[in-house]
Amino acid sequence: MPHIVAHVAIIGRLQLMPGILPVTLGLANTLFHVSHAFQDFVQFPNSHIKVDTNDCILFTVEHVGTDEVDLKDASCAFDLLEKSLSAISEATLWLKANDTVGEITSYIRQFGTADVKCFAAENQVDVIGYVNPTFQLSRADAELMAGFLSNMVVSNGPAKNPVPAVTKRLMSSLDLINLGFHTEAFINLFSLIDDLTQEILKLGLKKSGLDEGEQKSLLRAIKEERLSIYLCTLAKVCGWQSLSEANKELYNRVKKVNTARNNIMHGSERLMPKQTLEHMDTLIELIEWLRTNPFGYSIPKFPNLKLIEPKFFILPLNPDDKAPE
């Protein structure tokens, strides 16, 4: 049967039960075989690139029945990595749930792109690779950099210039995605949206003459379709504008995001990485719209925050080629 084989070096040294674990992830007609081993290093095929994996678990994920993937397409390669990580996480969580000894359970978790030291995948035609850029420097070079100006105190550091709480909450959602907790990242950001919306509307209701107790009572009394009523009906009552009238396309996407949130909270649905990114893009766009509120509620501008974006390379490389940066 045609298949793609992926090798993922995960930073960490967990002792897991040996064997090949079949995993489905709920994806139609998709089966994964997950196994693991320990090696001191990984040598990429037909290249000079050699990665120290003494501090890693080396997982092998066989994507059974999958071979029509263009590994030279960066988006396809990233999707393959994410599916491999999801399969690995499903396997490790299964092992955690079935651990009867209890000695290592607390140390087992799911994994994301932040945990990957290197990755390689191959089909019948191509081989691709990825090396975590944080390990491009040798240990000696990293030690040298750490010691440079190590006695200098940063005057405008976190004590004097702390990161705003709203920014921290957004950053934590991005960290959760990088660690493989996609559904949790989405729920975390959705809760931020809900809080921001309520705080903005409280100011609007205050300007309309309602005291603090009346504001809370009104907001809590709305039980059904809360986000829709907040962003449309209540926003207009406060003298703002309805999102559905101001930006119908964004409003329709927000409704889909709200449905996804309800399915997760009430139906235990889990999100795949691509779904998470689509939903979170909508929520971040909604934050931009909330910034336009006329009530004086200020949402801090976010710094240049990015998810981990692996840069893949095609093998074999010429012997004189340098490792990709």
Side-chain angles (χ1 to χ4, degrees):
M1 180 178 291
H3 60 273
I4 290 178
V5 177
H7 303 283
V8 190
I10 299 290
I11 302 166
R13 291 298 301 265
L14 294 177
Q15 289 297 320
L16 304 174
M17 184 179 74
I20 298 174
L21 296 178
V23 173
T24 60
L25 297 180
L27 300 172
N29 302 318
T30 304
L31 176 66
F32 306 88
H33 285 164
V34 180
S35 59
H36 75 281
F38 295 93
Q39 294 180 198
D40 289 338
F41 66 88
V42 168
Q43 177 79 48
F44 283 92
N46 300 318
S47 80
H48 71 292
I49 299 178
K50 185 176 178 180
V51 181
D52 177 9
T53 54
N54 186 59
D55 56 350
C56 297
I57 311 173
L58 183 62
F59 286 96
T60 297
V61 183
E62 183 180 342
H63 297 239
V64 181
T66 302
D67 67 342
E68 296 181 359
V69 175
D70 184 3
L71 295 182
K72 294 180 180 179
D73 184 318
S75 62
C76 292
F78 183 60
D79 183 62
L80 185 69
L81 171 58
E82 287 292 343
K83 285 181 179 177
S84 298
L85 288 169
S86 295
I88 291 169
S89 293
E90 189 72 15
T92 55
L93 291 182
W94 183 86
L95 290 170
K96 180 172 184 172
N98 289 277
D99 177 27
T100 56
V101 178
E103 293 296 326
I104 63 172
T105 303
S106 301
Y107 299 93
I108 299 176
R109 64 170 174 85
Q110 61 194 66
F111 300 107
T113 46
D115 302 300
V116 178
K117 190 169 187 178
C118 66
F119 167 76
E122 57 187 299
N123 56 20
Q124 304 299 317
V125 180
D126 300 309
V127 181
I128 61 168
Y130 160 70
V131 178
N132 188 325
T134 61
F135 293 94
Q136 294 290 333
L137 286 177
S138 68
R139 177 68 180 234
D141 290 339
E143 189 175 329
L144 179 64
M145 290 292 292
F148 183 66
L149 299 179
S150 59
N151 293 324
M152 182 183 71
V153 177
V154 180
S155 60
N156 194 31
K160 187 176 180 180
N161 186 30
V163 177
V166 171
T167 304
K168 285 183 178 179
R169 290 179 68 177
L170 175 62
M171 291 172 67
S172 67
S173 288
L174 298 183
D175 288 342
L176 285 170
I177 290 179
N178 289 330
L179 290 170
F181 295 88
H182 303 101
T183 304
E184 295 78 6
F186 166 67
I187 292 300
N188 186 52
L189 185 56
F190 191 97
S191 69
L192 171 60
I193 294 291
D194 190 78
D195 290 346
L196 288 175
T197 302
Q198 291 194 51
E199 291 303 312
I200 289 170
L201 291 176
K202 283 179 184 178
L203 287 180
L205 293 172
K206 182 179 180 179
K207 290 188 175 182
S208 298
L210 276 68
D211 62 31
E212 185 175 347
E214 292 171 324
Q215 296 165 26
K216 290 182 179 179
S217 297
L218 178 58
L219 292 172
R220 290 176 179 174
I222 301 172
K223 302 294 185 181
E224 302 293 331
E225 300 184 9
R226 284 180 7 134
L227 197 59
S228 178
I229 294 175
Y230 287 167
L231 295 172
C232 299
T233 307
L234 205 54
K236 289 185 71 174
V237 168
C238 292
W240 192 9
Q241 59 181 339
S242 166
L243 176 61
S244 63
E245 296 174 359
N247 191 333
K248 184 69 173 178
E249 189 272 338
L250 175 59
Y251 172 71
N252 288 335
R253 284 191 284 131
V254 169
K255 286 178 63 177
K256 291 180 180 179
V257 167
N258 193 57
T259 299
R261 179 264 178 195
N262 292 338
N263 290 339
I264 292 168
M265 301 304 293
H266 306 300
S268 299
E269 181 178 315
R270 305 294 295 175
L271 295 181
M272 293 299 290
K274 185 176 181 180
Q275 294 172 298
T276 304
L277 295 179
E278 289 175 353
H279 292 334
M280 292 183 69
D281 282 344
T282 296
L283 292 177
I284 290 174
E285 190 174 336
L286 180 57
I287 290 177
E288 291 299 321
W289 186 80
L290 291 174
R291 282 197 173 100
T292 67
N293 76 87
F295 311 123
Y297 189 91
S298 177
I299 301 175
K301 284 290 183 180
F302 301 132
N304 186 25
L305 302 174
K306 291 184 178 181
L307 292 171
I308 294 175
E309 299 177 357
K311 294 183 179 180
F312 302 96
F313 52 92
I314 304 295
L315 294 165
L317 297 174
N318 293 323
D320 295 331
D321 287 343
K322 294 182 177 180
E325 298 179 355

